[in-house]
Amino acid sequence: MPKKNEDFTFDAFVRGIEASCDAAAMVHDAIINYDPEKLPAQLEDLHAIEHRGDEVKHELVSKVSRAFITPLERDDILTLIQAVDSVTDSVEDILIRMRITGVRRMRSDAADFAKLLVRCTDATRQLLQEFRHFKKSKKLNEYIILVNHIEEEGDAMYMEAMRRLHTGVEDLLQLVIWREIYDFFERCFDACEDVADIVENLAIGNT
């Protein structure tokens, strides 16, 4: 197997999730320092990051389609890079939803979600950095467990945030708006867990 093809494939996974990490950091900053007037500009910057992730995916798809030998089955490579790209898409959707629904004031639960989102994408990045060594790695399973653990934290945070929302907000419109935003955060955690599950299956199936 040509080493350059192997390096390119695993590098692409990492480059893709780095876009997710950058997007999560931007969402975190936007929420912590929330200003609805800055959202349009922030969304432009965020979309540029999302586009960078798309380019990584398209470049890898093109490379895989032309390669004679690949380090993993072609379908597996495409499944994983699509899952990675979905993480970035899910992160972008959070600010898009805030812009569409005209959020004026930030809730503290959103800040907690944003902090956990940064942790979750960073843990997924560490997982994909280690993935290239899956045949000999002693740390890969630790990173898989870490991502799953953070996703579970996200589930617990989601339930508590929803409880506070439904017991403390009387404005029906605001309740609907924030319920949707919290749903989008949960999708991000689920998307990271999807990446971890795929990596786990590929590591088991290729050793």
Side-chain angles (χ1 to χ4, degrees), residues 25-48:
M26 180 170 290
V27 167
H28 175 269
D29 183 66
I31 288 175
I32 297 299
N33 305 291
Y34 191 68
D35 181 348
E37 303 307 319
K38 293 182 179 179
L39 266 185
Q42 290 168 332
L43 278 170
E44 286 187 14
D45 292 340
L46 189 55
H47 187 66

Side-chain angles (χ1 to χ4, degrees), residues 88-132:
T88 308
D89 290 343
S90 298
V91 175
E92 183 186 26
D93 284 342
I94 295 169
L95 280 197
I96 291 175
R97 180 57 51 178
M98 289 183 177
R99 173 63 175 167
I100 289 173
T101 55
V103 170
R104 303 302 301 176
R105 296 179 61 185
M106 193 52 54
R107 290 178 60 85
S108 60
D109 285 329
D112 293 335
F113 276 123
K115 291 175 185 176
L116 191 63
L117 179 59
V118 170
R119 283 180 53 208
C120 198
T121 53
D122 186 63
T124 309
R125 176 184 58 80
Q126 293 178 72
L127 169 63
L128 289 173
Q129 287 175 330
E130 185 66 22
F131 183 40
R132 70 176 69 238

Side-chain angles (χ1 to χ4, degrees), residues 21-156:
C21 291
D22 290 345
M26 180 170 290
V27 167
H28 175 269
D29 183 66
I31 288 175
I32 297 299
N33 305 291
Y34 191 68
D35 181 348
E37 303 307 319
K38 293 182 179 179
L39 266 185
Q42 290 168 332
L43 278 170
E44 286 187 14
D45 292 340
L46 189 55
H47 187 66
I49 294 173
E50 188 273 336
H51 182 67
R52 191 180 86 209
D54 281 344
E55 289 183 331
V56 171
K57 180 183 68 174
H58 296 320
E59 188 178 5
L60 180 58
V61 169
S62 177
K63 187 88 171 182
V64 166
S65 67
R66 292 183 282 107
F68 182 68
I69 299 175
T70 55
L72 302 165
E73 293 294 330
R74 285 174 172 80
D75 286 348
D76 291 336
I77 293 172
L78 300 181
T79 296
L80 181 52
I81 195 61
Q82 181 58 56
V84 170
D85 189 59
S86 293
V87 175
T88 308
D89 290 343
S90 298
V91 175
E92 183 186 26
D93 284 342
I94 295 169
L95 280 197
I96 291 175
R97 180 57 51 178
M98 289 183 177
R99 173 63 175 167
I100 289 173
T101 55
V103 170
R104 303 302 301 176
R105 296 179 61 185
M106 193 52 54
R107 290 178 60 85
S108 60
D109 285 329
D112 293 335
F113 276 123
K115 291 175 185 176
L116 191 63
L117 179 59
V118 170
R119 283 180 53 208
C120 198
T121 53
D122 186 63
T124 309
R125 176 184 58 80
Q126 293 178 72
L127 169 63
L128 289 173
Q129 287 175 330
E130 185 66 22
F131 183 40
R132 70 176 69 238
H133 309 298
F134 72 89
K135 291 183 179 179
K136 298 180 180 179
S137 176
K138 297 180 180 180
K139 295 181 179 180
L140 187 67
N141 193 54
E142 294 178 14
Y143 290 130
I144 291 170
I145 292 172
L146 176 60
V147 174
N148 288 333
H149 176 70
I150 295 174
E151 190 275 336
E152 290 173 358
E153 283 188 56
D155 283 345

